[in-house]
């Protein structure tokens, strides 16, 4: 379920002192190239110049997708190896938890690699007992980005310095889980790590790296105990590293998943961060690991509690309307998805996050005071749940 295309695009500078160019691989979520806000690179050349090898299907999972040259004792290579181990462990733990809830249905798995290094594992469970659709993907990518993107990432490159193409490394885990029962919430999470190598003709140039990710919660109906439980787990993960993380990343999440044409958020938030490299690298690796390890305890107890609740056709119709909002955000505002559709990426990978079914009704407005209205109000006016 991998695409051989990577896409590059612009992103809003609302949340950081940089606007960004991003590389997107459908199994990797997004990878960002920060640039100073006022720079205006040629987007066409950036989009067309990034190159990676076409994937090759594999029949078995390899021990690692890293190149042999990365299997050494250098600090950055160690981060690469440990991050890959973390995302693969996260994929395993989430899939095992989902299959335990399902009590029978299993994930379909596709494994792929690239001759020069890298690869991925895509797992999808569809039409299960509990989940309408669940996808959990990991990816390790080696590629080359154009010199314009390298200068953007450095931010301080002089105008007379003209480096050649810059090798990059990226790895990530990405997942969307859509339950059948309208009282059980949808969950999305992804965690990623990015590095550039020094350009071959600029010896000694500094290596760039950053972390990104988040976990967010999208119910159709509000059970305050569920929302508080979910946000409490996110806060506990953040507080182990910096007490400023949760309020900062909670607001970032509320702002990021904003559906502008509806003037509402996709769901009830969580945490979201990107371009993090202003803390110790080891600390951020441990923080990303803690966040990924928090997915199962934050989510599975809620699904277990709600999966067998009785519901009516009205409840299901409202869930489908909220799923429509999910589709709108992903197809209109997720720049990786929209660019992938325009540039011929593998459609099954690009759209793996979408639900099996969704609904749109003309001018639908829930009656004020109803449970449906309460959810919509919380999406329009984000709340502090804990």
């Amino acid at each position: 379920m991998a695409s051989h295309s990577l896409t590059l695009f612009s992103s809003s500078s609302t949340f950081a002192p940089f606007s960004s160019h991003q590389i997107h691989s459908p199994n990797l979520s997004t990878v960002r190239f920060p640039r100073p806000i006022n720079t205006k690179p040629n987007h066409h050349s950036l989009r067309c110049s990034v190159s990676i090898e076409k994937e090759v299907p594999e029949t078995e999972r390899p021990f690692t997708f890293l190149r042999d040259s990365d299997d050494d004792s250098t600090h950055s290579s160690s981060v690469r190896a440990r991050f890959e181990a973390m995302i693969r462990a996260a994929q395993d733990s989430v899939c095992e938890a989902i299959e335990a809830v399902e009590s029978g249905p299993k994930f379909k798995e596709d494994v792929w690699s690239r001759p020069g290094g890298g690869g991925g594992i895509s797992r999808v469970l569809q039409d299960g007992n509990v989940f309408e659709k669940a996808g959990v993907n990991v990816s390790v990518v080696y590629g080359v980005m154009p010199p314009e993107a390298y200068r953007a990432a450095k931010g301080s490159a002089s105008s007379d310095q003209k480096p050649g193409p810059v090798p990059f490394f990226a790895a990530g885990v990405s997942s969307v889980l859509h339950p059948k029962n309208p009282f059980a919430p949808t969950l999305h999470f992804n965690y990623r790590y990015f590095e550039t190598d020094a350009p071959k003709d600029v010896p000694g140039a500094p290596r760039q790296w950053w972390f990104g990710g988040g976990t967010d919660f999208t119910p159709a109906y509000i059970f305050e105990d569920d929302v508080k439980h979910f946000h409490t787990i996110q806060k506990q993960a953040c507080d182990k590293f910096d007490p400023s993380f949760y309020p900062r990343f909670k607001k970032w999440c509320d702002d990021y998943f904003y559906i502008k044409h509806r003037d509402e958020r996709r769901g009830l938030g969580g945490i979201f961060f990107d371009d993090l490299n202003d803390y110790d690298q080891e600390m951020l690796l441990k923080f990303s690991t803690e966040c990924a390890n928090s997915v199962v305890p934050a989510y599975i107890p809620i699904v277990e509690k709600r999966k067998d609740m009785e519901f009516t056709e009205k409840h299901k119709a409202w869930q489908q309307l909220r799923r429509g909002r999910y589709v709108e955000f992903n197809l209109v505002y997720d720049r990786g998805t929209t660019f992938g559709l325009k540039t011929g990426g593998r459609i099954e990978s690009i759209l793996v996050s979408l639900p099996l079914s969704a609904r749109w009704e003309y001018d639908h407005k829930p009656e004020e005071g109803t449970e449906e209205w309460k959810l919509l109000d919380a999406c329009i006016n984000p709340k502090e749940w804990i």
Side-chain angles (χ1 to χ4, degrees), residues 180-183 221 309-320 372:
K180 289 183 172 180
N181 194 302
F183 296 126
Y221 288 90
M309 289 182 65
E310 293 185 5
F311 59 88
T312 66
E313 290 184 7
K314 177 185 175 183
H315 295 136
K316 191 66 179 177
W318 175 246
Q319 179 200 45
Q320 298 301 291
E372 293 80 9

Side-chain angles (χ1 to χ4, degrees), residues 33-53:
F33 296 131
R35 65 175 173 86
I37 291 173
N38 294 326
T39 60
K40 295 181 179 180
N42 184 313
H43 290 181
H44 177 75
S45 66
L46 292 182
R47 287 171 176 167
C48 297
S49 300
V50 177
S51 62
I52 58 172
E53 298 175 303

Side-chain angles (χ1 to χ4, degrees), residues 291-336:
C291 291
N293 289 343
S294 297
V295 169
V296 170
Y299 181 61
I300 295 301
I302 297 172
V303 174
E304 290 278 16
K305 185 162 44 172
R306 305 300 172 193
K307 65 184 178 67
D308 296 320
M309 289 182 65
E310 293 185 5
F311 59 88
T312 66
E313 290 184 7
K314 177 185 175 183
H315 295 136
K316 191 66 179 177
W318 175 246
Q319 179 200 45
Q320 298 301 291
L321 285 168
R322 296 311 302 175
R323 292 267 170 87
R325 298 294 202 269
Y326 209 95
V327 171
E328 288 176 29
F329 179 85
N330 284 23
L331 295 184
V332 177
Y333 298 105
D334 185 299
R335 294 171 181 84

Side-chain angles (χ1 to χ4, degrees), residues 137-207:
N137 302 332
V138 297
S139 180
V140 173
V141 175
Y142 294 87
V144 177
M145 65 177 172
E148 293 91 343
Y150 176 74
R151 286 195 294 269
K154 279 191 72 177
S156 59
S158 61
S159 58
D160 60 347
Q161 186 183 71
K162 297 181 179 180
V166 182
F168 71 85
F169 168 88
V173 57
S174 183
S175 175
V176 179
L177 310 172
H178 292 294
K180 289 183 172 180
N181 194 302
F183 296 126
T186 286
L187 187 86
H188 161 259
F189 73 89
N190 75 84
Y191 292 96
R192 54 196 177 273
Y193 174 69
F194 179 86
E195 278 187 8
T196 65
D197 289 331
K200 293 180 180 179
D201 54 354
V202 187
R207 173 175 285 169

